[in-house]
Amino acid sequence: MKERGINNTFKKIIYESSEMVFLADDTYPYNIFYTNEAFDKTIGDKLEDKTLVGLGLDINSYIFSEELIVSFLEQEFVFNIELPQENGSNYFLFYKGKEMRAKGMPSKNESRLFFKNANDIIGIGQENFLTWISDSIRDVLGYIPEEITNVELCQFFHPEDLHHVQKLLAKVRNGITTSHFEARMLSKNGDYVCIDWNVNFLEGVFYAVGRNVTEEHLAKERMSWRNDLTKLGEVVSKSGVWEISIPENKMILSEGLFAIFELESGSPLSLEQTINYFLPDLRPIIQKALTELMAIGKDFDLKLRIKTKQAKEKWVRIIGKCQFKENQVSKVFGTIRDISEENDLLSELGLYKEMFEHSPESILISDISGKIIFINQEANHKLGIVLNSGKPYKIGDFDNRFAIEADWESHIRQLANEKNLIYKTQYTNSDNVGIHMEVNCSLVEILQVKYIVSFARDISERVGLEQTLQESSDFLLHLTEQVPGALYQFVLDKEGQMKFSYLSPGIKDLLGIKEGELKDFNDISLAINKVHTEDIALVLTSTVTSARTLRPWNCQFRVKEPLNGHFKWVYGAAKPEQLENGDVVWYGYLTDISDQKKFEENLKYAREQAERASQIKSEFLSMISHELRTPLNAISGSVYTLLQDDHTSQQASALNTINFAVDNLIIMINDLLDYQKIEAGKLTLDYNPMNLKEVVNQVVKGLEFHAKDSRNKLILDIQEELNQEVKGDKVRLAQILNNLITNALKFTNNGEVEIVVRLNEVIGEKIRVYFSVKDSGIGIAKEHQTRIFNQFDQIQHSFSKKYGGTGLGLSITKRLLEQMDSQIGLESELGMGSTFFFEVVFEKTKKLFIPAPQKENVALLPFNKIKLLMAEDNDVNALVLGKIIKKWGINYDRVNNGQEAVDAVKNEKYDCILMDIQMPVMDGFEATRLIKSISNVPVLALSAAAKQDLIERIDQSGFTGYVSKPIDASELLKKIKEVLNHS
């Protein structure tokens, strides 16, 4: 060691030192060449590589340090260090080494202090005795550690708990590692202390931590005693508490309510089941009260009758309350008390004491002198009263209204007369802070002792709001006094209370409020009482909806007239606003709309009268058209038969004139009926597949004779592309073209009428088709061109004499095109002719028109072999029709009604039946239905009504075809041939 610079004199001292010392080379890997005894015991003997590198040191990190920390086997050691250049040697010197602490653990001194100051008992032991225990045993059980270690533990456990502890020891022997239990331990002063033990077992040693839970047990016992006492109180006082679980609509009942309803304890009960225990005529009342409580937070206090599970009837008093959270009803609760046998008020107060304690309102009970004998939690919170402090309190100490004794005495006298008073006042609490309150107090007498019960509600926020509004309302007050109707401000506070905070003077006239009543008219129930009973639900539900959605409120309802007891109509509107404190405020107005309602009633009556007049007009037109067709039928048929007989040329001319007049009359009747249908909104379009080119050709071909008669040339120009099938109303399209072409021929003489039909546009599966009718006639002046489409309007009255007609043709054409989503256009110059044009969009049917093959001529039954049955009640029509049929050489039988027609078919065989629709005894529809049930004979319908009105019934009744009156003989013969050819 000498050559290494260590003096042998100090070797023994250094080697035996309690501080660690070692030396290491100054070259890598820094071999440790000297160590003392303390270093070897702590580190050296466990070090495999005796170098600084093996020790995990980077010596370069400590070149400028005088102290370093060595981490070894999860322990930390601190050393002083001297570098080679500092001591003039060629080695590193580490000295004054000592253990810092185990890594992540407190030092021994810290551990000792921890166990010394721990509140819980901490112990270590084996089998059934402790080998070590913390000093906290002194504070918990009063023993010093030596008195409880190395002794039998069983003697310290309560005899009733000892068996459980012994069972635990048995489980330990069977391998249990952890346990938790409570046991009573004997303290040094002889009392038992309840200890909550957590015990871990490891290799025959247990580690226990115990906590004193005696106070918790006492608290539980007190709570259990209080709950038992409450249940007993409910039984004795025949009452109970309920709560509704809003999401599930379940009733939560206290034990007292199970007794009242005579139910098994704990039986689940839904809201609906609870309501069904009330008598049937009272269920709507409780249903309404609960609905309003859950929806808008409206409290209730009701006395109702129930029928219990055992069918026993009882009178109960049910009270409902709620709590609000974020402007929504969050909790609904209340009480039910059996009041079949009325108890005195003291018993009632005792019964409801728990409920009073949790009431959201301050409740104070005082004797006749004003001395306070009871307050609830809310009153204590507001005022800071401590009744059990020994200090007496009087109402006048807090209520400024009764600061003077004489005022209190006056209050008592007033209560004696009225029994109940509601007033506003200001309470001053123990901190000398003023609180605005609304107090509802009652004078009650129990066992000849008088008490005053006061319910006080904090209205500071509302008063503050009223004061703020009052300060800024001078101008608005004057303005609102002049506004007709009434302005108001309505408040729904966070507790669910609804009040009018402002009403303008106009409310007096509107609701019939007297001058002195206005200042107290703030409760919504007072206003609701004015509303017609049928409108109350509408007013309330619309108000609730506005409160929930914060959307504007508006409503029309009736209120009572103050003088005559009648009702007048009122319109109300308001806009809600939610304040920061959670209140919802509506700003709105009410106004009398009785005159408006009367006007609406008059308007409704006028509309009904107009509709009735329109209906009468329609019925008249339908009736008169039918009546006109009947004589026209006789005239037309007679002319036809006369034309078939021998006649002179002069007679032929006269007969043709009659025929022309009949045709014109029929056209006018048809125009009137079509116009009447359009006006009544009964004319509908019937879209069916049709060939456009074929329809136009048929119309033009049908008017060729008319063109020849008026010495005009009729020209048709239609594209071949339109020889295709589309969906449209064939009848109405033909009517439009017929009207336009007939008009053109009427006002043209020795000229031309050209019909042009073009494909303008293809739009997917639809086509747009252009139609025009151009004539070279008299033309129309510019100033008259808009008038010609008006109903019953012609340019000059002389036109009606010269050209005839109703003036409805173009009006009907215009209205029909409008139903087809089209418009008619006109280009005309006086003396130069006119052009009417329009466009219609048709839907294609994806089917090209293929001309049907011509049928081969089938030999008809000879006319003299045909036998017809004519059902016609009108003798003139039957005579005319009979002459026509005889001219053809056809035999026929005639009957006067439908019943005779049915009987005739049963007795005779006929080839065809001509059936009038309107007949006495049995009409043509019923007769045809019965005939078709017994025979296949074809039946042709004959009617003066328009086919469109009858087509559905004609098809349903089984008619083979239809011929309109006045009967066109050629059309009738054509129909007879068709049905006989198909039979």
Side-chain angles (χ1 to χ4, degrees), residues 58-75:
D58 180 4
I59 199 63
N60 294 321
S61 301
Y62 300 97
I63 292 176
F64 301 103
S65 301
E66 296 181 353
E67 188 178 83
L68 62 81
I69 296 174
V70 175
S71 296
F72 184 73
L73 297 179
E74 297 186 356
Q75 289 180 291

Side-chain angles (χ1 to χ4, degrees), residues 189-258:
N189 62 12
D191 295 330
Y192 282 94
V193 178
C194 188
I195 306 295
D196 180 57
W197 289 104
N198 278 292
V199 184
N200 290 317
F201 299 92
L202 183 63
E203 297 179 354
V205 178
F206 66 83
Y207 305 87
V209 178
R211 174 166 295 179
N212 186 352
V213 293
T214 304
E215 288 299 323
E216 286 85 341
H217 271 270
L218 291 175
K220 288 180 181 179
E221 290 175 0
R222 287 193 295 269
M223 180 62 72
S224 177
W225 173 83
R226 186 174 180 180
N227 289 339
D228 292 341
L229 185 62
T230 300
K231 291 177 182 177
L232 290 173
E234 287 185 349
V235 173
V236 171
S237 59
K238 298 181 180 179
S239 69
V241 181
W242 56 266
E243 181 179 344
I244 296 177
S245 178
I246 294 179
E248 300 86 10
N249 273 358
K250 293 289 185 182
M251 292 290 291
I252 302 172
L253 307 179
S254 67
E255 288 295 327
L257 293 187
F258 288 112

